[in-house]
Every structure is written in structure tokens, then in C-alpha cells.
């Protein structure tokens, strides 16, 4: 273990993805960044991950720290290793995790049919590891991320453990539902299958298990914490969350400001001021085969799913392109959206460049070259792309929802007069509002002095973990201290 990790109070994070090893979205970035952020606050996190092929490759020199003859029907072991500054515990269960494809989907793009068992096994292993410890190591708190880690409190309580859990909601759209007939196969305590436990309309909900079983709940922005209490955003769990409102904490995500640093980023021509973006902008125009226009160059880097509102953007785009605006989009996801964007790109060559795929290096070049980053989400628990945009001096144009509204200062008259605006915020789920926001972007672009000032504001805006790491640390400490006070 590294010196920093060894010296702090021990905690265990449980997650299904973690950058840089396995990532489908912002969850991985946050799980990967929290250990370093919390090390500065006196907490030493170890992170338990499934042994997917990419994780096992990093664990080649790992040592075994626990073994299971029968973990939900399969032998398994836990390996410990350090990787990229992270202290990892890897659940090596080849029957569950040694497969091609992504963490949740097979190569055919469908959910693995045994996802309930795969992530129940992760939770069961977490509960056993935390309860028994590894040598002298015993976590004081468990930090559980999204539904894949949600069953952990149920398994802990079944063992009689009072270890405190913090359940983090990164996206409430995913509940981890499975039929009630699976209770026995997942070794879940039948007495937990109630409306106050993990029963959800006749199914087992792994997320609800976490929400009802954890001592505290966190989500990734104050705005989303408020929204989650409403039927429009709570996705059927708003009642559960209302009942736990005093224990629900909205803590804004940060980004890893070393990994995302325009002054040192190896993927780009480094810069420290908006003027320094020019070489990156020229390269981006080239990369996407765009013809230079007299409007701004905007980018989108996103999963293509209904959440992200990119179908709305397709409808709002013609006016923007007509004003000389340019757009480069990098994304992958739902087939219908991929096709719609490819068709739009083919219809506006030179003005709209579309790349379907997942490309980390290209995403860095896009933030570096862009004048603006568009995030028109229908809902957005936090959103990281607008934070990368701020850091790289590209103005975020975002929907007024969740963490987007919490992180961007809209260019209204007051903010412009005070010299503090960092972007444009528009009504969510409205094509006219989005079109108007793009119009404002073009208008601001015409006054290069104001635009540059906003870019400078953006680059100065704090987007790291300075404010949020102490809040997590305080929460961990309160949970752990309460537990000690309660334990006879
Ligand atoms: P979400 O987790 O809902 O997808 P976030 O904004 O929190 O949204 O995080 C998205 C992360 O995934 C960011 O790091 C973003 O740069 C990255 N990303 C999304 N799509 C792509 C892509 N096609 N290629 C490279 N990176 C991507
Ligand atoms: C989820 C959310 C996103 C958030 C990320 C990290 O994927 O969709 O808004 O930034 O988790 O917390």
C-alpha cells in the first residue's frame, strides 16, 4: 500500500467501474478520483472492483487476500494490488467477469442475462471482506456506488454487522431490478423483501436495497438531491428518498485536475490562456473535416442516450449552422441516435462533423479546441463534461438541470456586468430554448472581448475536489463515529 493510503482511516469503496481501468461514463472518473481526493482528508480508500479482463490484466502481480469456495455458486478470490495510485481489491470470479464486451453488455449490445448474480456476488464479497477484514485492515465505512453495489447493506446486516454504509446515487435511472424468484439464488434474506426493504413493485431492486439499508445517502450535486425528491426525477423512488431526506446529501463531483490540465495535457498543444487554444482549434477543424466559418466551434462528447437530450439538439441546430456555427460530435450509444447524427452530418458536410465511437484522446483534443461544449441533457445528476469544458476554456452551454445548473454561471446581464459569467444556461427539454441559447452563443462570439473574458472566468472556476472532499470526509467520519458510539 502507498504511504498515503496506509496512513489514513480505512474505508472500502465498492463500484462496477473505475478509471483508468474500466469506464463507460462519469461514474468511473469519480470512483477513480475519490481515493486521491480523500487521502488529503485523512481517509485511505481501497476500491473493490469486478475482475473484468482489463482489471485482471492490471492485477497480474496481485496477492490473494481472500477466497470463496462458493460465491453464489462459483469459486472466487480477492486479489490486492496497487495501480495508478489506487489501492485495488479485485474480485476474481472468472465465471462472472472473464468475458468479452463491456461491464454490463455483451458484444451483441444486450445486458448480460446474469447481471443480477454478477453484481450480487460483488456485494456479497464486499460484505464478507469488510466484516472479516484483511489482516489488521478493517474498514470504518463502506462507500457504495450505484445499484451494482446496492445489495451490500443487506448482506452485511444478514451477517449481523453494523458497519456503516454511504450509498451514492450517480444515476437513479438504473435500479438493478430482478424478479422475486431470484431471492434464494442471490442468497438474499427473505425478510428484506418488504416495502421498507428492497421490494419494488414485486421485484428486487438493488438500488432500493442500498437506499433503505445504508446509514446515509449521497448524490452528485445539490440540485439533483432536490430533484430526486420529485416524481419527475425520482423514477419511482422519490417516496423512499423523501422518507430519508435528512440523510440525503448533495455533494458536487470534482474532476482530476492533474489528468485534465490544459497546461500539461500530452494529448493536446498545451496552453494556459484562451488565446493558446488556437492551434488546438485548427487541429480540431482538420480532424473533423470542417470548413472554417465565422461562428463559434462547439463540440459534444457524450453517451448517445435519451438522458443527454441530443435528439433535441438535432432539431435546434439548423439556425446555428446557418449563422456560421460549427459542431463536432463524438459519441456512441443508442443505434437510432447514432444513425440520426450520422445522417445529419452527411447532410451538412463541413459544418457538422460526426464521429461515432469512444475515444479518450480525441475527447481531450475536442475540449482543447472547442469554443463551446453543448450539454442539453433532460436530466443530469452532475455531469463532468461541462467541468472539463470550464477547465479547458470552452464555454459550457447547458440545460438548467441537476449538476449542470450548479456549476455554470449563466451570461445574463448581471453576471456579464460583474464579469463572472462562465457559460450559457437554458431551459431543459425545450427546442426553442436550446435554439435561443445557441443564438446567444453566436452573438457572444461576435464580441470577442466579452467571449475571451468568459473563457478566462471559466478556466479559473474551481472544478477540483477542494470543496467536496472535506464534505465526504466529514460524512465518513460522522458515520464511523456514530457506529462506534452505538456498538456495545
Ligand atoms: P455520464 O456519466 O452520464 O455519461 P458525465 O458527463 O458524468 O456523463 O461523464 C461522461 C464521461 O465520459 C466524461 O469523462 C466524457 O468525456 C466521457 N465520454 C463520454 N462519451 C465519450 C466518448 N464517445 N469518447 C470519449 N469519452 C467519452
Ligand atoms: C452518472 C451521471 C452523471 C454524473 C456521473 C458521475 O453517470 O449521469 O451526471 O456526472 O454519474 O457521478
Amino acid at each position: 500500500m502507498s504511504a498515503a493510503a496506509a496512513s489514513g482511516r480505512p474505508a472500502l469503496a465498492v463500484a462496477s467501474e473505475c478509471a483508468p481501468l474500466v469506464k463507460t461514463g462519469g461514474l468511473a472518473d469519480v470512483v477513480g478520483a475519490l481515493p486521491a481526493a480523500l487521502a488529503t482528508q485523512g481517509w485511505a480508500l481501497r476500491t473493490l472492483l469486478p475482475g473484468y479482463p482489463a482489471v485482471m490484466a492490471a492485477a497480474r502481480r496481485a496477492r490473494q487476500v481472500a477466497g470463496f469456495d462458493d460465491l453464489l455458486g462459483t469459486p472466487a478470490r480477492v486479489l490486492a494490488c496497487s495501480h495508478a495510485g489506487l489501492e485495488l481489491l479485485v474480485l476474481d470470479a472468472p465465471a462472472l467477469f472473464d468475458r468479452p464486451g463491456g461491464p454490463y453488455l455483451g458484444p451483441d449490445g444486450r445486458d448480460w442475462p446474469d447481471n443480477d448474480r454478477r453484481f450480487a456476488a460483488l456485494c456479497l464479497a464486499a460484505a464478507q471482506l469488510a466484516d472479516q477484514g484483511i489482516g489488521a485492515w478493517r474498514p470504518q465505512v463502506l462507500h457504495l456506488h450505484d445499484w451494482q453495489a446496492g445489495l451490500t447493506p443487506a448482506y452485511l446486516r444478514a451477517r449481523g454487522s453494523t458497519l456503516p454504509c454511504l450509498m451514492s446515487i450517480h444515476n437513479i435511472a438504473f435500479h438493478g431490478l430482478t424478479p422475486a424468484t431470484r431471492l434464494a439464488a442471490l442468497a438474499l434474506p427473505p425478510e428484506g423483501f418488504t416495502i421498507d426493504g428492497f421490494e419494488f413493485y414485486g421485484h428486487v431492486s438493488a438500488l432500493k436495497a442500498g437506499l433503505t439499508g445504508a446509514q446515509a445517502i449521497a448524490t452528485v450535486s445539490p440540485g439533483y438531491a432536490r430533484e430526486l425528491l420529485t416524481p419527475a426525477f425520482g423514477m419511482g423512488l422519490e417516496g423512499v428518498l423523501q422518507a430519508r431526506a435528512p440523510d440525503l446529501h448533495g455533494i458536487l463531483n470534482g474532476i482530476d485536475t492533474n489528468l485534465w490540465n490544459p497546461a500539461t495535457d500530452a494529448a493536446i498543444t498545451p496552453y494556459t490562456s484562451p488565446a493558446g487554444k488556437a492551434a488546438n482549434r485548427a487541429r480540431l477543424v482538420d480532424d473533423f473535416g470542417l470548413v472554417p466559418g465565422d461562428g463559434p466551434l462547439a463540440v459534444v462528447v457524450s453517451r448517445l442516450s435519451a438522458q443527454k437530450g441530443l435528439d433535441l439538439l438535432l432539431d435546434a441546430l439548423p439556425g446555428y449552422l446557418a449563422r456560421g456555427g460549427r459542431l463536432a460530435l463524438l459519441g456512441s450509444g443508442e443505434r437510432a441516435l447514432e444513425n440520426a447524427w450520422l445522417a445529419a452530418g452527411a447532410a451538412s458536410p463541413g459544418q457538422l462533423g460526426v464521429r461515432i465511437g469512444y475515444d479518450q484522446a480525441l475527447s481531450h483534443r475536442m475540449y482543447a479546441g472547442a469554443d463551446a461544449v453543448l450539454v442539453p441533457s433532460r436530466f443530469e445528476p452532475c455531469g463532468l463534461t461541462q467541468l472539463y469544458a470550464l477547465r479547458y476554456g470552452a464555454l459550457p452551454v447547458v440545460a438548467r438541470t441537476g449538476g449542470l445548473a450548479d456549476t455554470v454561471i449563466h451570461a445574463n446581464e448581471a453576471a456579464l456586468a460583474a464579469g463572472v459569467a462562465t457559460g450559457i444556461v437554458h431551459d431543459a427539454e425545450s427546442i426553442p430554448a436550446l435554439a435561443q441559447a445557441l443564438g446567444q452563443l453566436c452573438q457572444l462570439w461576435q464580441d470577442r472581448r466579452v467571449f475571451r473574458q468568459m473563457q478566462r472566468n471559466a478556466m479559473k472556476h474551481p472544478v477540483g475536489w477542494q470543496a467536496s472532499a472535506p464534505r465526504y470526509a466529514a460524512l465518513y467520519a460522522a458515520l464511523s463515529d456514530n457506529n462506534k458510539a452505538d456498538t456495545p
Side-chain angles (χ1 to χ4, degrees):
M1 239 191 271
S2 70
S7 61
R9 294 172 73 174
L12 175 66
V14 185
S16 56
E17 32 184 298
C18 180
L21 286 174
V22 52
K23 165 168 167 176
T24 70
L27 168 67
D29 292 319
V30 173
V31 171
L34 269 176
L38 279 159
T40 67
Q41 308 295 314
W43 281 91
L45 259 73
R46 300 179 97 173
T47 305
L48 176 68
L49 293 176
Y52 313 116
V55 178
M56 290 305 294
R60 262 196 306 265
R61 275 195 289 278
R63 66 195 166 88
Q64 179 170 340
V65 292
F68 307 88
D69 295 334
D70 178 1
L71 184 70
L72 299 183
T74 183
R77 55 190 189 140
V78 176
L79 307 173
C81 65
S82 304
H83 180 81
L86 299 163
E87 294 303 327
L88 299 180
L89 296 170
V90 176
L91 180 59
D92 178 21
L96 303 177
F97 303 120
D98 184 15
R99 331 176 157 176
Y104 320 117
L105 311 178
D108 60 358
R110 289 167 195 268
D111 277 334
W112 294 112
D114 58 347
N115 273 346
D116 60 353
R117 174 168 167 247
R118 298 172 75 224
F119 295 106
L122 180 72
C123 297
L124 188 53
Q128 180 162 328
L129 265 185
D131 189 27
Q132 292 184 343
I134 302 171
W137 177 85
R138 234 167 220 82
Q140 297 177 9
V141 175
L142 281 84
H143 191 164
L144 313 174
H145 295 276
D146 272 351
W147 74 264
Q148 293 86 352
L151 292 173
T152 309
Y155 291 129
L156 272 176
R157 302 312 160 236
R159 299 175 63 88
S161 164
T162 61
L163 268 176
C165 296
L166 173 63
M167 181 72 221
S168 264
I169 306 170
H170 295 266
N171 193 334
I172 206 160
F174 305 102
H175 289 193
L177 292 182
T178 199
T181 49
R182 299 281 294 153
L183 273 175
L186 302 180
L188 282 166
E191 62 276 15
F193 190 70
T194 68
I195 190 162
D196 298 320
F198 45 73
E199 185 270 346
F200 187 76
Y201 295 100
H203 280 63
V204 172
S205 162
L207 181 60
K208 189 178 170 193
L211 299 179
T212 56
Q215 281 78 350
I217 302 167
T219 191
V220 290
S221 70
Y224 195 54
R226 286 191 300 275
E227 289 171 347
L228 282 174
L229 302 177
T230 68
F233 291 91
M235 308 228 176
L237 288 169
E238 60 276 7
V240 174
L241 288 165
Q242 284 161 16
R244 300 224 50 197
D247 302 318
L248 172 62
H249 305 265
I251 305 178
L252 209 52
N253 282 337
I255 60 170
D256 181 333
T257 48
N258 292 321
L259 210 63
W260 295 93
N261 182 355
T264 56
D265 191 332
I268 66 169
T269 305
Y271 59 93
T272 52
S273 73
K277 287 170 69 78
N280 294 295
R281 191 179 195 273
R283 175 152 187 210
L284 182 56
V285 165
D286 222 44
D287 269 350
F288 278 84
L290 300 173
V291 291
D294 41 357
L297 169 55
V299 303
V300 171
V301 179
S302 185
R303 289 187 291 118
L304 298 181
S305 79
Q307 173 190 345
K308 301 294 177 180
L310 295 168
D311 50 326
L312 309 171
L313 180 59
L314 275 174
D315 287 331
L317 216 48
Y320 170 74
L321 297 181
R323 288 180 73 161
R326 299 282 179 267
L327 179 68
L329 174 136
L330 167 65
S332 59
E334 289 168 18
R335 202 52 55 82
L337 275 169
E338 292 185 356
N339 289 338
W341 275 97
L342 284 171
S348 299
Q351 296 180 297
L352 170 57
V354 175
R355 196 75 61 84
I356 299 301
Y358 190 93
D359 188 334
Q360 186 91 10
L362 178 59
S363 76
H364 282 243
R365 297 207 298 276
M366 291 174 75
Y367 297 118
D371 304 316
V373 173
L374 313 183
V375 197
S377 306
R378 290 188 162 84
F379 69 95
E380 196 61 75
C382 179
L384 300 179
T385 54
Q386 83 281 12
L387 302 180
Y388 301 137
L390 291 167
R391 178 92 170 134
Y392 281 68
L395 302 189
V397 179
V398 304
R400 188 178 295 101
T401 185
L404 299 176
D406 283 334
T407 50
V408 178
I409 303 176
H410 177 56
N412 64 17
E413 290 303 320
L416 286 171
V420 297
T422 59
I424 296 172
V425 185
H426 59 82
D427 287 348
E429 213 161 356
S430 158
I431 295 163
L434 181 50
Q436 204 174 27
L438 293 174
Q440 187 183 0
L441 178 67
C442 293
Q443 189 197 338
L444 285 168
W445 177 251
Q446 294 311 321
D447 188 344
R448 226 44 68 82
R449 196 184 50 82
V450 174
F451 203 92
R452 284 265 186 273
Q453 177 61 48
M454 285 181 65
Q455 287 178 299
R456 279 194 295 274
N457 297 344
M459 291 179 79
K460 277 197 306 227
H461 189 89
V463 288
W465 287 95
Q466 305 90 323
S468 296
R471 294 200 56 200
Y472 275 114
L475 204 47
Y476 285 11
L479 289 171
S480 154
D481 297 346
N482 265 341
N483 183 46
K484 281 187 200 137
D486 290 349
T487 310

